[in-house]
Each structure stands twice: as structure tokens, then as C-alpha cells.
Amino acid sequence: MTKGRMDTLGCPEEEPPGGFCSPSPRREPHCKPETHMDVQGFRWVRWRVWLCHIGSVLSLGLLLVLFRWRPRLGVLARCNSCPLAFANILLLRDSFGQQYVVEVLTEELEEGSLESAGSEAEDSSDWRDTVQLHKEEVPLLHYYLFEGLRYVWMARKGAFCRVSVLNEDWTCADIYRFREGLSRLEQNTRRKIYGTNLIDVPVKSFMRLLIEEVLNPFYVFQVFSIALWLTDSYYYYAACIVIISLISICVSLYEIRKQSNTIRSMAQQITNVTVRRSSGEEDSLSSVELVPGDCVLIPQEGLLLPCDAALLAGECMVNESMLTGESVPVMKTPLPAAGGRYSPETQRRHTLFCGTQCIQAKGGRPGRGGAIAVVTSTGFFTAKGDLVSSILYPQPINFRFYQDAIKFLLFLGGVALCGTVYSIVILSRTNTTWWELVIRALDIVTIVVPPALPAAITTGTIYAQSRLKREGVFCISPPRINISGKVSLFCFDKTGTLTEEGLDVWGVMEGSGAGFSELVPDPRLLPQGPMLSAMACCHSVALLGGQPLGDPLELKMIESTGWLEEPAGDDKTLDSEFGGHRVLAVMRPPACPLQSESVSIHEAVALVQRFPFSSSLQRMSVVTVNPEGQSSLAFIKGAPEMVASLCLRESVPAQFSNTLRTFASDGFRVLALGYKTLYGQTDLSTIERGEVERDMQFLGLLVMKNLVKPESAEVITTLRLAHLRTVMVTGDNVLTAVNVARTCGMLGSNERVIFVHATPQTAQSLPSLRFHLGEGGTEDTATQSSIDMYTQGLYQGVINYHLAINGKSFSALCDHFPEYLPKVLMRGTVYARMAPEQKTQLVTELQKLNYRVGMCGDGANDCGALRAADVGVSLSEAEASVASPFTSKSDNISCVPLLIREGRCSLVTSFSLFKYMALYSLIQFSSVLILYTEKTNLGDLQFLFFDMVLVTLLAIVMGKGGPSTELHPQRPPASLLALPVLASLTLHTLLLILGQVSALLITTSQDWFVPLNSTMSGAANLPNLEDTSVFDLSGYQYIIMAVVVTKGYPYKRPLYYNVVFVCVLLVLFALMSWLVLAPVPFLRKLLKLYYIPDMNFKILLVALAALNFVFCFLLEMLIDRGMLNCLRLLRGRRQSKKQYKRLDVLLSDSPSWPPLDQPLVPSQCTVIGLS
């Protein structure tokens, strides 16, 4: 059988002659899990297909149902295996074991059009095939569609690969070659290869949805059960279940259809766009027709982008909130022509993403306005398509609770098998016919395995989601609510999350090689010079309707200077005012009364080139000219360490490091600025970023105060008291981050900080790793004796410590010291200067230690980490964003403990409902087996009363209880197969059986007892005393077990806060007592209950039920309080299965870690292994 495997990028891991690849599984755009898919090729066999059709008719469609549940069987039954090159049917299997069947399609291409498809394909034979039609070879494209993505056959690679592989290796120079546009022939050819530019969310018809829903195993089991009940004359019960199932199906179809329409309206956007043709003309067409390589002309007023595109000319102000949750518009600038290989992630500032709103475009088409961009991705291959795909086709959630639920259903199936055998043995001793014997045996299965169990355990999640929505927290992945209850570590971004979004200018300190000047608190008091110009001009702020839009930090910076931005547009008069340069923006100084005449500034400055801020580069720069274009200056702004490294050494003050450390340790946000003069021979329109950002003159430091939000410290304290680890991951300076961490409570006042410094390998040195003591940034002033005292305390376990590390050291640690990485992660609290991809890497590395990781952030830089985390919370004004599973309208982290409390409440509620539904089945199972032994059974309406009136009503309202107001240090369990759960179910079942048997024995021991008619069996001999006594007691058992398994403290509010549940309990208890003590004749006859005149006996039954309740309640309480811990003591203490817990024990016992001020190299590292 021909079989292939494919890596996450869609290309073969290697290319042996017979190797094949398959489509990569859906993955997060920032996450690259090591997952693979297998693909097998098949061809239809006509006689096998006809044979399967006949079998389907003869089996009344059951064969088709089997093929739907097991796609592999359907393919094997109707096809023969063959090489992928000749296959017309493919069987796909992902790493989770899920299987899919897809059909291979073909597309006929025009002769001679293959070569015009573009330079991205080295050889057109890679993605074509030929067939002979009418003695002519016609090129054919073989492809298939999977989860919206198109995969094409590449003969040279012997694989189906994603069609995007044809343009994944484009360089920036390649993209610039498309600036002149495609011809219509080239565009048509590319459309046949790439497909239409449409994120097409399938909205199935009601009939198809109905068929698919009915073929769900749950409803198939329901149909089987209903048929069985009708055969056994349980007409009322069967009719009621049919009605409820129909209502359930209709509601489910409505919700599925509604959700599909909602996602479709969000995903699908069709608009008219203008493209440039290779002939020079402009053509207006539908966005559906766009293909990679099309040159799109963006109008000045902007548009909703229908594709991913690289910006080649002009600037665009873009709102990316739909994708990232970031509400601040982003300035996009042209792609550098010599930028090497193009990547939309590394060149985000030059990429326009599908689904984002371009608010304004300018500077790209002189005299006409707007901008120019080249399409790089279409359809599901766009950033928006990838996010929509993650919603439509989510990866299975690896959560033990859901896995154990399936295993427990199988366990109940085993119990049903035992009950079936017992019932066959018991009934075979009577004169029961074989047909009735089969019906009775199968009826046991429908009782023990409750088909409503999967639906019931989601009730708690539904209530939690509703409560979260009322608190302004929106969820697009409800199963993650339960997961949030198991979070053991939460990561927080700093700026905008822990601290205020806006910053206030604290002052400016000019500097040069001679040193720093005094701090100037008001920038408007600065003398005329490059420092003031740099603050006024080095930004990405744009005007829209006269209002400045941009980063809050830059808005504050400009406001502090008093300068004003004027719209530039494409005014030729304005361009000519500044020497004919293309002007992006104009900054004009104010006539400021605070300035003396000697420092008065009246000269405007024009921005003619802008290189935007990048998290990976940690800087931005601009090029400016004066009126008449007489002189041009370049300014740079960014992280102080980065800016200083790009400035001439002699221009950087000697006190730079100490001054920066002082400000950072005090919690200030510090930016450095620099400049240089560009001489007349420089072409400012084509100047490269690398040429601008070198040999700069250091100007000084801009000091800004970033206040911690008042809620941050309280929330962090709450989480730490609940034994939840808190970690800060930020792009800011490490000392600033340490100061904020101490202010908000991540670092205690008596806890010390150890800095981790790792360097990569260079030509002159080996990689090294060093741990050195820090104390608020003043570690250099610490005396040797104080260090020795601290070290002694550290190694004696007296002093708590935290590790702090920056992005460069983290990268070197991952690359060269992987054996130390888990230990650093265990003690690391502050991660500074982290790039977006490093934030994502940190989350995944923590997950490898078996942490359940939460992440809270507010911007595009956190998007990857938010989606990689088990629980991602985006602080955004948007009601729902695909940037993360949870979106909070709150601008602070107070939503985090709320979410964890709701998660714990939902998880505990799911446990309670699971146990209740399991016990409900076991109670009824016991009742039926006991009555089978007595040659009788429960009646039709008795079953209906138990299932509809008692159990369903209780299950619906049981989960309404809200979460506790406090976070308990211990997290709730997540395993349904744990000893306390299994022991609880087993012991409760024994007590419940004992209660029912006692009721039966007490009844048979009465003087007035009348045996049932032994010549009849089943419900035919109702009413009788045996059935009535079991009915009375089991009715109470359904009610009392709802109370017993409903847990409150410490994860939920006490039971009495759930007023609806308490009221329903009281009503049902009263109803049951009425039926037992004084039933009216009408109800007694309706339920086929035997009339018992003895009131003392009936009170005895109520007392027996009360005794049953007391025993079950005490048992559950003892199990909760650790009664079974003695069994753990007998088996001995076992190591935790979680790596982080095992590693924590090993580190606590390690007397020499971390080694302070001892340079380590990889070959000398001592590894603490995990066994």
C-alpha cells in the first residue's frame, strides 16, 4: 500500500523515489507542532462499488452508517490501493488518529499557459500532468481540497503539496517584479492553479445537516433504544423520547446553521478591487478573481483587504483588531526591495493582512493618492483564512476529563454486558420466550449506558459561559472553560496588561561622548537641535480626519514637544516646498511662549521615508528634510541597548549603562534616540534601512513613567495565594520588568532576583551561561560578604529566589544549554526583551513540563502566545476576537481569577453531573435487575417519571450554582478514573442496591404481603408490591444523590445559593412523598402502583430513604476529606506524573543550584535528569 508522510510545511521530509507527502494538519500560525499526516492513494473498483451499493440496500443503510463512522473501511471495501500519482481517492490520517477521505480533482490548463504561471515554479512539470485527448496532449493539474486548502500534485517531488509552496520562497525582489502587474492570461492560469480567492465556509442545507445529525452515534443509539422500547410496548416513554429527540435535533440544527452563517459572514468578503495589468492599464474586478502576483491599487480612502499583500509603495494606516485584538491602528510601510526571502511574519510591518481594514493609504501613486501592493496569499492561505480554519477545524483538546469520559462510557458498557448475562440467566429459568429474553437483555444496555451523558456534562460549561459573558468575557472555545480550571501557571504581558497603556513623559536627558546633561522635565524647554526634532519626527503617527492615530507612547511623545502634524497627502505644492521629495507627513513647531527667542523654532520638517518599529529589531527610524530640501537628517528611536549599538562608540556616554540601569530599576520606560546627517548625493526615495541605521550619533534618553494598574497587584497576590505561578513576559528592559514585577507582587519583598546571562557561540568563544545576583539593579554594588551570606542562605533553602532573563539569553539558552532550560523555566519569573516568537516558544516549553499554561496580553505581539497557551485571554474592546479563545472587555487582569474560578466551578459541576448521570443509570440498572429476579419490571410511565420528571429536571438545574468568591490553593481533579471517583461510585452503588434490596425484603416480610402473579413476567403483572416498594425507594434515591454529588466549597458557592435547584429539590421531594404516603387513585393507577394501606410501612420506607441519604452523604464527605489516603500510604508515595512537580522536588534538594558567578559551558554542565 502506497503511503506517505508530510511535515508541517507541506513538503516531504526527504525525497526518496517512492516517498510521498500529505497535507499538513491545521496549526496555529505562530505554532509549529511536530505533527504529521499520512496519506494513502486508492482507485475506485467498479464491481466493488456496486457490491457495496447492494450491501447497503440489503442492510437497510447500516453499511453506509458503518462507512461513515469508519472511513477507512469504506475506502478498503470499494477501492484498490495504488501509487499517489494515479489515485483518484485519498485516505488521510492525522496524528490524532482521525481519518478523512478526499477526492482527487483535475483541472485542464491551456497549452502554453504553464510557462506563464510565474517564476515561482522552477519546473512546470512539478504541478502538471498530461493526458492524450483527440491525439493531443492536454496539460492536467491534479489537486485535492482539504479543510479549505488546495494541494497540488508535484511529480518531481512525488507528493501532493500545498499550492502555497509555489510562492513560499519568493524574495522581496521577486515581489517587486510583479509591480507592473499580470496579464489576463497569466491571471487566468494562476486562478486555475491557486483557485478562487474566497474563504468559503460551507453552510450545509437543513436536509444534509439532519442526515448527518441523525447518523451521530448518540442518535443512532437513540433510534435503537426507541425501536426496542416500542417492541416492548413502552409506547409513552418511546413517544416522549422521540419528541425530546426531535426538539433536540431541531435546536442543534438551528444552532449549527446559525453558527455557520455567522462564521461565513465574518469570513467571506467580496469587494471590487483595481489591479494593474502588464500592459499598463488598470482593471476593476471582483476580489474573488485575485491571485498571488496581482498588483493591487489601494485607494486613498482605504478598503477592507480581501487578501494578504506586500506593500510596495506608499503608506497605509491599518486597523488589525479583528485578527489581533489590538485596537491601535498600525502604520504599514513599503517592503524593502533587497530584504531577502519574504515572510509575512517577520515583515508584518510591510504586509497587509486579509480581513484588516485599511483606513488610509497615501504616498504610493504621486498625484493620484493611494498605495500599491502585490498579492502574496489568497483564500484559506491568508492570515485570516488560517484563523477561520482554526475555528472550523479545531485540533482535538488534550484534556484528561474528556478522555476519561469516553473510557468510563466503555466501562459502563462492560457493566451492561454483565447485567445482560445476569438477566439472560435469570429469565431463562422462567417460561420467558426467546424473543422476550432478547428484548429484556438488550433493554439493560439502554439503561446502563445513558445516551444523554455527553450532553449532560456540558451543562456546567454552558452556564459558566453565560456567566462569563455577563462579566464581559467572551469565549469562542467553550471546552477551554473546563481547562482554565486546571491552569497552574499564568503568563502576563507587561505594557498595557499589568501597566497602563499610556505613558507620561518624565523627562529628557541629552547625551554625548562627554556625558549626560541634566534631566529636562519638559521637552519644550530643550534648545533647538536634533534632540527635539527627533522626538517630534521619529514616529509612525498618522492623521485621519484631522485626528492623530498611532501608538499611545508616540502620541505622548509628540504631545510633549508641542509640535503639530499636518496632513501631507499627495499635494505637489507641498512636495515642491520640500525640494520635490515625496512627503509622508509634515511636523511644524509651535510658537511656544515657553521658549525664549534664542531657542525659538519656526522651521517645519517633512518626513520623506519611514522604517516602522519592529519587535524583532527593537527600533524604528525616519528620514526628514527641511524646506527646500536643503538638508536631510535620519533619526532613530528604540530600545537603548539597540540604539547604542548602532551609534558611533565615541558618541555614547561612558555612563550609559549605569544611567540606564538606574532608570530601569526605578521602573521607568526608557527609549534612546540618535541621528545622522544624510548628504546630498543620497537618493532618499530608495535608501535602504540598513544604510540609514548605522553610524548614528547618540542624542540621549527619553524617560517615560509607566504606572502599574491598581488591579494588577491585587490579582497577582490572589493568584500567588492560590499557589498559581505568575510569570511576566515582555519586550521591555529586564530591570524595568523586575521593578514592575516587584511592584505588582510577582516578586516578594524578601525574595531575591538572580539574572541569567547566556551568550551564543562565536568565532572567538564558546557559548557560556552565568547566574549572577541582582538586587533591584544594584548588584554591582553588593559586597562580596553580602553575596556570600546570600549564597549560603540560598543553598540552605532559607531564601526564595526568582530568575530573570532577556530574549537574547533565552535564545542562547534554548540553542546551547537545553539541559538547563527546564530548570530555568522552573524558577524563571521575568522574561524581558522577548520577541513575539520567543513568547510563543516560552509557552510551548512550559507546556512540555506539563504545566497548564494561561496567557494574558493585549496586543499583536502576544497573538501567537495567546493561541499557543491552554487558556489565552486577550484584553480587547472587541466582543469576540479570533486572536485567542477568551476576549475580555476589561482593560485589566481582574478577568483572570474570574476565569479560573469559573473554570473550576464548571469542571466540578461537570464532575458532579457525570457522577449523577452514572449513578442514575446504576440506580435504574439495579432496580431492573432486582425486579427481573422477581419476574417483573418497571412500568412505561414509571420509567418516564424517573427520567423526565426527576432526573432530567435535576440535571438541568444542578449546574446553575456559581463559582466560589475565592481561589483555593488546591486545584480540582480532572481525572474521572481517579481512585476517589471510582470508589465513590462503587460504594454509593452498593449502598443504593442495599437500600433497594432492604425495601424489597421489608415488603415481603409484611403480614399483608401478596406475591405477584408468577405466570406472567415483566410489566405485564403490574401493579404489584415488589415493584411499588422498589419504585418508592429508588425515586427518593434519584433525589438524594443529586444532593450528595453536588459539591460546593471550595470551588462553588454553597448549595443553598442555587435557589432554583433547592426549590426543584423541595418540590420533587414533596411530590415523591405524596406518591409514597398518600397517592391519589388517578396517579396510582396511571403509574401502576400497588395500593398499600399500612401508613407505618410507608413511613418506614421514607425513613429507609432518609437513612440511605445519611449514609451516602457521610460516605461522600469522608471521601472528600481524604478517607482513602490510607490506601495511598499502603502503596507508598509515588512520583508525580507531571514533570514540573518532579523537577521542583529535585531542584529543592539540589544543594548547588544555581551556581552563582560561575561561567558554564555546555560540556561542563551538570544535568539534573528526570527519571
Side-chain angles (χ1 to χ4, degrees):
M1 187 174 292
T2 306
K3 188 175 183 178
R5 191 171 82 168
M6 173 185 183
D7 68 6
T8 56
L9 295 179
C11 297
E13 295 176 291
E14 52 185 353
E15 294 184 26
F20 303 101
C21 69
S22 63
S24 62
R26 302 303 301 137
R27 58 180 175 84
E28 310 293 332
H30 302 277
C31 306
K32 297 180 180 180
E34 297 298 327
T35 54
H36 301 269
M37 282 188 88
D38 290 329
V39 59
Q40 296 172 280
F42 295 87
R43 291 189 68 86
W44 294 114
V45 178
R46 191 180 300 273
W47 65 267
R48 288 190 177 188
V49 173
W50 280 107
L51 196 61
C52 288
H53 286 331
I54 296 172
S56 300
V57 173
L58 295 177
S59 64
L60 301 178
L62 292 179
L63 187 62
L64 293 178
V65 174
L66 177 63
F67 288 167
R68 176 176 174 77
W69 291 351
R70 290 289 180 266
R72 180 179 178 83
L73 295 179
V75 172
L76 294 177
R78 293 176 285 195
C79 304
N80 272 339
S81 63
C82 69
L84 292 181
F86 306 105
N88 49 30
I89 286 293
L90 299 177
L91 179 65
L92 314 178
R93 182 172 61 85
D94 63 17
S95 58
F96 302 102
Q98 296 176 329
Q99 296 180 335
Y100 311 89
V101 177
V102 296
E103 182 180 358
V104 178
L105 307 173
T106 57
E107 182 78 41
E108 184 178 327
L109 302 177
E110 297 179 9
E111 187 63 43
S113 64
L114 297 174
E115 289 72 16
S116 64
S119 60
E120 71 277 4
E122 297 177 4
D123 184 359
S124 62
S125 63
D126 271 1
W127 41 264
R128 69 163 183 172
D129 198 358
T130 56
V131 296
Q132 196 169 31
L133 295 176
H134 306 293
K135 299 183 179 180
E136 294 181 3
E137 283 194 345
V138 177
L140 282 183
L141 175 74
H142 289 254
Y143 69 94
Y144 68 88
L145 301 173
F146 179 67
E147 294 184 351
L149 301 180
R150 176 177 288 218
Y151 297 83
V152 296
W153 172 252
M154 291 190 168
R156 184 168 61 87
K157 294 182 178 180
F160 280 99
C161 292
R162 291 186 299 177
V163 70
S164 61
V165 77
L166 299 176
N167 56 286
E168 280 178 352
D169 292 328
W170 276 357
T171 63
C172 296
D174 290 333
I175 294 176
Y176 267 91
R177 292 193 192 102
F178 293 113
R179 184 168 182 169
E180 300 306 318
L182 301 174
S183 67
R184 287 186 174 84
L185 176 62
E186 288 175 321
Q187 191 190 51
N188 290 336
T189 300
R190 286 171 179 267
R191 194 178 305 120
K192 290 182 179 180
I193 297 169
Y194 287 95
T196 56
N197 176 35
L198 198 62
I199 303 176
D200 189 18
V201 177
V203 179
K204 300 173 184 176
S205 65
F206 277 110
M207 183 55 65
R208 183 175 177 184
L209 285 174
L210 177 63
I211 294 173
E212 291 181 356
E213 190 74 6
V214 170
L215 293 182
N216 183 295
F218 164 74
Y219 286 112
V220 170
F221 185 72
Q222 286 284 52
V223 170
F224 164 76
S225 302
I226 290 169
L228 190 65
W229 296 327
L230 289 173
T231 305
D232 203 21
S233 302
Y234 285 101
Y235 301 119
Y236 293 114
Y237 186 77
C240 191
I241 295 298
V242 166
I243 293 171
I244 292 175
S245 297
L246 288 176
I247 294 174
S248 175
I249 289 174
C250 291
V251 171
S252 178
L253 295 187
Y254 172 77
E255 289 295 332
I256 293 173
R257 178 93 175 184
K258 179 183 175 183
Q259 185 180 26
S260 297
N261 282 320
T262 301
I263 298 176
R264 186 188 184 95
S265 62
M266 177 192 75
Q268 193 176 93
Q269 57 184 74
I270 301 175
T271 184
N272 288 329
V273 295
T274 302
V275 298
R276 177 184 288 169
R277 295 298 182 195
S278 57
S279 59
E281 63 183 84
E282 296 179 2
D283 192 5
S284 179
L285 48 79
S286 171
S287 58
V288 177
E289 301 178 45
L290 289 175
V291 296
D294 266 328
C295 182
V296 179
L297 306 178
I298 300 174
Q300 188 168 358
E301 65 275 10
L303 82 160
L304 185 63
L305 294 160
C307 60
D308 284 359
L311 185 60
L312 300 190
E315 289 187 338
C316 293
M317 182 62 74
V318 182
N319 182 354
E320 296 185 334
S321 60
M322 201 286 290
L323 293 183
T324 66
E326 176 62 75
S327 58
V328 178
V330 181
M331 175 68 75
K332 303 286 186 173
T333 58
L335 182 74
R341 184 175 178 271
Y342 170 76
S343 168
E345 284 304 314
T346 57
Q347 277 134 342
R348 291 185 65 90
R349 285 287 189 168
H350 313 297
T351 303
L352 306 173
F353 293 105
C354 178
T356 61
Q357 177 70 52
C358 178
I359 304 171
Q360 177 180 276
K362 61 182 181 181
R365 306 170 67 197
R368 303 181 62 182
I372 300 174
V374 167
V375 178
T376 56
S377 297
T378 58
F380 275 98
F381 290 101
T382 62
K384 180 180 178 181
D386 195 79
L387 293 175
V388 171
S389 184
S390 69
I391 297 174
L392 292 175
Y393 314 106
Q395 289 188 1
I397 295 177
N398 182 23
F399 191 46
R400 191 170 181 179
F401 176 78
Y402 300 123
Q403 297 168 352
D404 287 355
I406 303 300
K407 294 177 182 177
F408 196 82
L409 280 177
L410 296 177
F411 167 74
L412 289 179
V415 174
L417 181 62
C418 296
T420 301
V421 172
Y422 175 82
S423 62
I424 291 174
V425 171
I426 292 297
L427 295 175
S428 61
R429 295 178 179 178
T430 64
N431 56 353
T432 306
T433 64
W434 68 268
W435 174 250
E436 189 175 357
L437 189 65
V438 171
I439 296 298
R440 292 280 175 272
L442 292 177
D443 193 35
I444 292 293
V445 179
T446 67
I447 292 172
V448 180
V449 184
L453 181 60
I457 61 177
T458 63
T459 306
T461 303
I462 294 171
Y463 285 127
Q465 186 177 9
S466 176
R467 289 192 297 266
L468 284 170
K469 189 174 182 179
R470 288 198 297 268
E471 296 292 336
V473 180
F474 302 91
C475 176
I476 62 172
S477 180
R480 292 191 183 271
I481 295 177
N482 276 352
I483 297 178
S484 65
K486 290 294 290 182
V487 166
S488 49
L489 181 148
F490 229 100
C491 299
F492 294 93
D493 179 38
K494 183 181 77 68
T495 306
T497 304
L498 294 172
T499 62
E500 299 288 353
E501 182 68 44
L503 295 92
D504 294 320
V505 174
W506 188 262
V508 181
M509 182 177 282
E510 291 188 280
S512 64
F516 283 105
S517 63
E518 290 295 323
L519 183 73
V520 179
D522 189 347
R524 288 175 291 184
L525 297 176
L526 288 171
Q528 180 179 3
M531 185 66 180
L532 190 59
S533 298
M535 290 180 62
C537 300
C538 196
H539 59 79
S540 299
V541 174
L543 290 179
L544 182 64
Q547 294 295 320
L549 291 176
D551 188 280
L553 182 150
E554 294 183 332
L555 291 172
K556 280 285 186 182
M557 181 181 70
I558 298 172
E559 179 187 343
S560 71
T561 66
W563 287 46
L564 299 174
E565 182 175 1
E566 293 185 358
D570 291 289
D571 193 345
K572 293 183 179 179
T573 304
L574 191 59
D575 291 352
S576 63
E577 179 186 343
F578 291 93
H581 293 288
R582 181 177 60 86
V583 176
L584 300 175
V586 176
M587 301 300 299
R588 293 190 186 273
C592 184
L594 294 176
Q595 293 174 330
S596 64
E597 293 183 4
S598 61
V599 298
S600 176
I601 306 171
H602 301 289
E603 196 175 55
V605 178
L607 279 66
V608 296
Q609 191 69 271
R610 184 152 37 194
F611 301 101
F613 176 80
S614 166
S615 298
S616 57
L617 298 178
Q618 298 179 351
R619 63 186 184 271
M620 74 159 294
S621 57
V622 297
V623 177
T624 66
V625 296
N626 291 342
E628 306 300 332
Q630 294 175 353
S631 63
S632 57
L633 296 175
F635 296 103
I636 187 172
K637 173 177 97 293
E641 305 93 335
M642 178 58 68
V643 172
S645 69
L646 297 172
C647 291
L648 296 172
R649 186 183 298 273
E650 58 270 18
S651 70
V652 181
Q655 307 87 359
F656 170 79
S657 296
N658 290 335
T659 304
L660 175 61
R661 185 182 297 113
T662 301
F663 283 125
S665 299
D666 291 336
F668 289 102
R669 177 80 179 271
V670 185
L671 297 176
L673 297 102
Y675 88 108
K676 75 175 180 181
T677 302
L678 299 174
Y679 297 100
Q681 64 269 25
T682 305
D683 185 354
L684 301 184
S685 63
T686 59
I687 191 170
E688 296 291 336
R689 184 169 193 158
E691 185 180 348
V692 171
E693 297 174 345
R694 69 182 182 190
D695 300 332
M696 307 289 282
Q697 293 285 334
F698 187 82
L699 280 174
L701 301 176
L702 172 63
V703 185
M704 308 189 82
K705 186 67 175 176
N706 192 197
L707 299 175
V708 175
K709 293 178 180 178
E711 300 86 0
S712 297
E714 182 182 351
V715 171
I716 296 299
T717 301
T718 300
L719 295 179
R720 292 194 70 184
L721 289 175
H723 295 174
L724 292 171
R725 269 192 69 189
T726 55
V727 168
M728 180 191 297
V729 50
T730 177
D732 209 344
N733 181 280
V734 65
L735 294 176
T736 303
V738 167
N739 180 277
V740 172
R742 202 174 287 281
T743 302
C744 67
M746 283 188 183
L747 307 177
S749 57
N750 60 337
E751 296 175 329
R752 303 293 290 273
V753 177
I754 298 176
F755 292 91
V756 184
H757 183 70
T759 56
Q761 185 171 356
T762 64
Q764 293 79 25
S765 64
L766 291 172
S768 66
L769 175 65
R770 188 166 66 94
F771 300 89
H772 61 90
L773 175 63
E775 180 56 41
T778 59
E779 68 275 8
D780 291 344
T781 64
T783 63
Q784 184 61 42
S785 60
S786 66
I787 293 177
D788 292 341
M789 290 175 61
Y790 172 70
T791 304
Q792 183 180 3
L794 169 67
Y795 292 156
Q796 290 175 352
V798 177
I799 300 174
N800 291 328
Y801 65 92
H802 297 264
L803 300 182
I805 187 172
N806 62 26
K808 288 184 178 179
S809 294
F810 181 76
S811 179
L813 182 71
C814 294
D815 293 340
H816 302 289
F817 298 90
E819 66 275 13
Y820 271 97
L821 179 60
K823 290 173 272 184
V824 172
L825 294 175
M826 283 298 304
R827 296 292 184 258
T829 300
V830 176
Y831 297 83
R833 291 282 187 244
M834 297 284 279
E837 61 274 10
Q838 288 180 315
K839 293 183 179 182
T840 306
Q841 184 181 6
L842 172 64
V843 169
T844 55
E845 292 295 340
L846 288 168
Q847 288 171 328
K848 290 178 183 177
L849 296 180
N850 303 127
Y851 276 112
R852 285 287 176 187
V853 181
M855 174 71 194
C856 184
D858 71 327
N861 293 340
D862 309 315
C863 187
L866 288 171
R867 300 186 65 214
D870 296 291
V871 178
V873 185
S874 173
L875 305 183
S876 171
E877 294 180 359
E879 180 168 308
S881 168
V882 292
S884 64
F886 297 93
T887 303
S888 173
K889 281 192 171 183
S890 170
D891 62 350
N892 58 69
I893 62 173
S894 59
C895 59
V896 170
L898 170 67
L899 177 59
I900 295 174
R901 286 190 288 110
E902 285 289 2
R904 292 182 173 186
C905 174
S906 173
L907 185 58
V908 170
T909 301
S910 298
F911 258 81
S912 298
L913 282 164
F914 184 93
K915 290 175 66 175
Y916 181 67
M917 295 302 291
L919 286 169
Y920 141 67
S921 298
L922 292 171
I923 291 171
Q924 202 165 89
F925 171 71
S926 305
S927 301
V928 170
L929 289 187
I930 290 171
L931 294 177
Y932 274 6
T933 308
E934 296 296 319
K935 299 182 182 179
T936 185
N937 197 4
L938 294 171
D940 188 359
L941 293 179
Q942 290 177 357
F943 275 119
L944 192 62
F945 175 75
F946 286 153
D947 290 3
M948 298 297 110
V949 179
L950 296 184
V951 176
T952 301
L953 199 55
L954 287 170
I956 289 174
V957 299
M958 186 187 295
K960 284 186 68 67
S964 173
T965 55
E966 297 179 354
L967 271 180
H968 194 267
Q970 186 175 358
R971 291 174 296 138
S975 174
L976 289 170
L977 302 182
L979 178 62
V981 179
L982 295 178
S984 173
L985 289 175
T986 303
L987 295 176
H988 280 315
T989 302
L990 294 177
L991 286 175
L992 295 169
I993 293 174
L994 182 62
Q996 293 185 28
V997 171
S998 299
L1000 182 62
L1001 293 177
I1002 291 173
T1003 303
T1004 57
S1005 66
Q1006 299 301 311
D1007 296 336
W1008 40 259
F1009 173 72
V1010 179
L1012 54 77
N1013 183 1
S1014 59
T1015 60
M1016 304 174 67
S1017 63
N1021 56 18
L1022 291 177
N1024 57 67
L1025 284 168
E1026 292 88 342
D1027 167 75
T1028 301
S1029 61
V1030 171
F1031 172 87
D1032 290 346
L1033 191 71
S1034 61
Y1036 279 117
Q1037 287 178 339
Y1038 292 120
I1039 299 172
I1040 65 177
M1041 292 315 299
V1043 178
V1044 169
V1045 301
T1046 300
K1047 301 295 176 63
Y1049 179 84
Y1051 308 114
K1052 293 179 64 177
R1053 301 174 77 184
L1055 184 145
Y1056 52 81
Y1057 278 96
N1058 190 350
V1059 178
V1060 177
F1061 181 49
V1062 173
C1063 292
V1064 170
L1065 280 175
L1066 293 176
V1067 169
L1068 292 181
F1069 179 78
L1071 175 62
M1072 198 65 218
S1073 298
W1074 182 38
L1075 288 175
V1076 173
L1077 298 175
V1080 295
F1082 169 73
L1083 278 179
R1084 193 175 66 243
K1085 292 179 180 178
L1086 187 67
L1087 293 174
K1088 296 184 178 180
L1089 298 176
Y1090 196 92
Y1091 174 67
I1092 302 176
D1094 189 346
M1095 181 57 70
N1096 291 331
F1097 171 77
K1098 290 187 283 189
I1099 293 176
L1100 183 61
L1101 282 181
V1102 176
L1104 181 60
L1107 186 64
N1108 205 170
F1109 168 71
V1110 170
F1111 277 118
C1112 288
F1113 186 82
L1114 289 175
L1115 174 65
E1116 188 71 14
M1117 188 173 64
L1118 289 173
I1119 291 176
D1120 285 343
R1121 297 293 173 86
M1123 180 186 73
L1124 301 175
N1125 288 343
C1126 57
L1127 298 179
R1128 292 193 179 97
L1129 294 176
L1130 292 175
R1131 75 180 185 188
R1133 187 177 181 84
R1134 294 183 181 180
Q1135 271 194 329
S1136 173
K1137 294 181 179 180
K1138 298 186 183 300
Q1139 289 192 39
Y1140 74 87
K1141 290 186 177 180
R1142 294 156 55 193
L1143 188 55
D1144 185 51
V1145 172
L1146 289 170
L1147 289 179
S1148 299
D1149 296 337
S1150 177
S1152 58
W1153 197 88
L1156 295 180
D1157 295 314
Q1158 298 178 24
L1160 302 172
V1161 294
S1163 59
Q1164 296 175 353
C1165 289
T1166 302
V1167 181
I1168 297 180
L1170 289 178
S1171 57

